[in-house]
Amino acid sequence: MQEIFSLPFMQIAMIASALSGIACSYLGVFVVLRRIVFVGIALAQISAMGVAVAVFFEQNPSLFAFIFTVAGGLLLSLNRCNSNIPKEVLIGVSFAAAWAFAILVLSKASHGEADMLNLVQGNILGADWKDVLNLVYVIIPVGIIHLVFYRKLVFTSFDAETASTLGINPFLFDFLFYVCLSLVVSASISLCGVLLTFSFLMIPGAVALLLGRSMKADFLISFVVSIFSSFAGIVISFKFDLPAGPSIVAVLSMFFAFAYVIRFFLVKPSFLLTKNLYK
């Protein structure tokens, strides 16, 4: 075990995975409680399409992922202004279109199959310190935004009509949330791939929803789940020569199964209704 933690590439992989997990799981609490889980997979796939286009034209994948994902986040946030189209439809169309175009683009790129596999499962073990710094450069401004506007973001997330009557612009903070989500997804996708990024967005938040009794507890639980799963998954992948991304997702899934059993047998069904969103 000590050998694993002494290897430089394993240290970088664990740090990168943990940082990505913390950022995604924080926003994932909002995603799960907003009931927009598939927004995460749609944005992840839009980001993957950006990476695919960058690979085809031999450009910077991170830059293209950022541009495509922010554009996708803007598109999804604008749906509040158009009630004729259900958000689920827009999410589904965005996901299908992004997935199709990513496949079409990579089918004409050299090493297309390998690039497609990397998009799905990521290459966290190939991360370097530059990748970690790029992730930090995204996490810091997103963290500052949520620190400054936390209450308004929570308010507009769960009671937009009341927020509007109190003079808070729901569209503005909805857009701000989607921009933050897009930034984190685009930074995470090149390292973690679609599968792990989506799992970080969904599973820790779902575990927190099952076990937490307040928003602060939800965030704490989601952080613990994502960090522990990152370390355990990478250790398992090293010991048994398995892909790192799917190994982390497997550990995350076991956390969810454990939390689901605890929630079903030991917790009163009504406790979710009394969760304090501001604590």
Side-chain angles (χ1 to χ4, degrees):
M1 183 68 70
Q2 188 175 358
E3 176 191 359
I4 297 175
F5 291 99
S6 65
L7 296 171
F9 79 95
M10 292 295 288
Q11 295 171 356
I12 296 173
M14 288 182 178
I15 293 171
S17 179
L19 286 174
S20 180
I22 289 170
C24 289
S25 63
Y26 171 81
L27 294 173
V29 172
F30 286 90
V31 167
V32 171
L33 289 173
R34 276 172 167 240
R35 293 176 173 83
I36 54 168
V37 169
F38 284 99
V39 167
I41 189 62
L43 287 177
Q45 192 54 55
I46 291 170
S47 181
M49 181 175 68
V51 174
V53 172
V55 168
F56 181 80
F57 289 106
E58 297 183 354
Q59 299 296 319
N60 186 336
S62 298
L63 176 61
F64 273 65
F66 168 75
I67 294 171
F68 275 69
T69 313
V70 170
L74 175 61
L75 175 67
L76 294 175
S77 67
L78 288 174
N79 183 251
R80 185 185 289 274
C81 301
N82 187 357
S83 59
N84 294 326
I85 303 176
K87 178 165 284 189
E88 291 78 8
V89 173
L90 188 59
I91 292 170
V93 171
S94 300
F95 171 78
W99 187 239
F101 279 108
I103 292 173
L104 291 173
V105 169
L106 287 178
S107 68
K108 293 299 182 180
S110 58
H111 310 294
E113 291 184 4
D115 292 329
M116 180 60 69
L117 186 61
N118 280 334
L119 278 179
V120 174
Q121 70 176 30
N123 187 26
I124 195 72
L125 294 180
D128 56 28
W129 288 115
K130 182 180 178 181
D131 296 319
V132 174
L133 285 176
N134 288 338
L135 205 55
V136 171
Y137 293 150
V138 169
I139 291 173
I140 289 175
V142 169
I144 292 173
I145 289 171
H146 275 258
L147 185 65
V148 173
F149 299 110
Y150 172 76
R151 288 185 176 274
K152 290 182 179 179
L153 285 166
V154 171
F155 203 178
T156 54
S157 293
F158 305 111
D159 197 352
E161 293 183 1
T162 303
S164 182
T165 61
L166 294 176
I168 301 173
N169 188 337
F171 170 75
L172 175 61
F173 289 98
D174 208 36
F175 172 69
L176 191 61
F177 170 77
Y178 277 103
V179 168
C180 291
L181 184 61
S182 301
L183 286 170
V184 170
V185 168
S186 64
S188 178
I189 201 77
S190 59
L191 277 175
C192 300
V194 175
L195 175 63
L196 183 54
T197 298
F198 176 61
S199 298
F200 273 145
L201 280 172
M202 179 181 63
I203 298 178
V207 173
L209 180 64
L210 288 168
L211 301 180
R213 294 180 179 272
S214 69
M215 287 293 286
K216 288 183 180 179
D218 287 348
F219 292 136
L220 179 60
I221 292 170
S222 64
F223 292 162
V224 171
V225 169
S226 60
I227 292 171
F228 182 86
S229 298
S230 295
F231 289 172
I234 289 175
V235 170
I236 290 170
S237 72
F238 183 85
K239 285 287 189 181
F240 299 99
D241 192 24
L242 296 170
S247 298
I248 297 172
V249 175
V251 178
L252 286 167
S253 301
M254 287 188 285
F255 262 113
F256 177 78
F258 178 72
Y260 189 83
V261 170
I262 291 178
R263 171 71 176 85
F264 184 81
F265 288 106
L266 300 180
V267 182
K268 293 181 180 180
S270 61
F271 96 91
L272 284 176
L273 300 176
T274 62
K275 181 180 296 229
N276 190 326
L277 299 177
Y278 297 97
K279 288 187 177 181

